[in-house]
Amino acid sequence: MRRSQRKQEEPDLGILSSRTLFSLQRELFTRLSEQGHPQVRPRHGAVIAYLDEEGSRATDLAAQSGQHKQVIGTLVDELVELGYVERRPDPADRRAKLIVPTEKGRDHMAKSDAILAAMEAEHAQAVGEQAYADFKRVFKAVADRQTGKDRTDVPPRD
């Protein structure tokens, strides 16, 4: 069996994850564009997906998204220019800046949340509510384990 054919018939976790991510992003950003947000791209999700409405520090966004702080800085610059976020002094530490969504940014976040909820509801309806709930629980456990968020059961690496 050729390798490409094997990966089609028996896709591994990486292939399944990437197919899911890229398809989800395509649908999400198409719907967002139709709802008034045509300039935001999937790469901006490293900021917007993790952004608190009250604001977030760039270092926290980098840690949560798995991106380098410099990448987050570039994405924040783009989102500032597009009018989705602004930088403000952090009241807890005047030396630090918070990345805060603007009204346009909050609208994008709300629409994105609603679109993703609808997409998840469609999947749950297609495979069954319980099966989808089980899938999400297991997928979260795998993701947590893979990213090191749940390493209590894994021996340290040499």
Side-chain angles (χ1 to χ4, degrees):
M1 181 181 307
R2 291 188 343 255
R3 180 175 169 78
S4 62
Q5 185 180 2
R6 179 181 60 84
K7 291 295 184 174
Q8 291 295 320
E9 293 175 13
E10 299 175 27
D12 60 35
L13 181 60
I15 289 173
L16 291 172
S17 297
S18 65
R19 282 182 13 202
T20 302
L21 173 64
F22 297 140
S23 177
L24 181 138
Q25 286 179 330
R26 222 176 1 265
E27 184 173 348
L28 173 63
F29 285 89
T30 296
R31 289 187 189 189
L32 284 167
S33 180
E34 293 166 352
Q35 293 183 28
H37 297 282
Q39 296 173 311
V40 179
R41 300 289 177 253
R43 68 179 179 270
H44 296 123
V47 172
I48 295 178
Y50 300 95
L51 190 61
D52 290 332
E53 287 206 25
E54 305 79 37
S56 302
R57 289 185 181 182
T59 53
D60 294 333
L61 295 171
Q64 292 170 333
S65 69
Q67 296 290 327
H68 291 284
K69 189 177 175 195
Q70 293 84 353
V71 171
I72 295 298
T74 299
L75 295 172
V76 169
D77 290 343
E78 292 174 9
L79 289 167
V80 166
E81 190 173 315
L82 293 171
Y84 284 87
V85 300
E86 58 189 16
R87 289 182 175 92
R88 292 186 191 162
D90 185 342
D93 180 355
R94 297 305 249 178
R95 298 168 296 168
K97 296 282 187 195
L98 286 179
I99 313 306
V100 181
T102 61
E103 183 177 333
K104 186 177 182 180
R106 287 189 303 277
D107 181 67
H108 178 280
M109 291 164 67
K111 287 178 177 169
S112 178
D113 289 348
I115 292 166
L116 286 168
M119 290 169 70
E120 288 201 44
E122 291 168 13
H123 292 306
Q125 184 177 14
V127 301
E129 297 286 335
Q130 189 59 54
Y132 190 73
D134 291 344
F135 162 76
K136 284 219 29 193
R137 180 185 49 76
V138 170
F139 193 66
K140 181 182 182 316
V142 169
D144 287 349
R145 187 171 186 281
Q146 182 65 42
T147 58
K149 291 184 179 179
D150 182 23
R151 289 290 188 190
T152 57
D153 63 331
V154 178
R157 293 184 179 174
D158 294 332

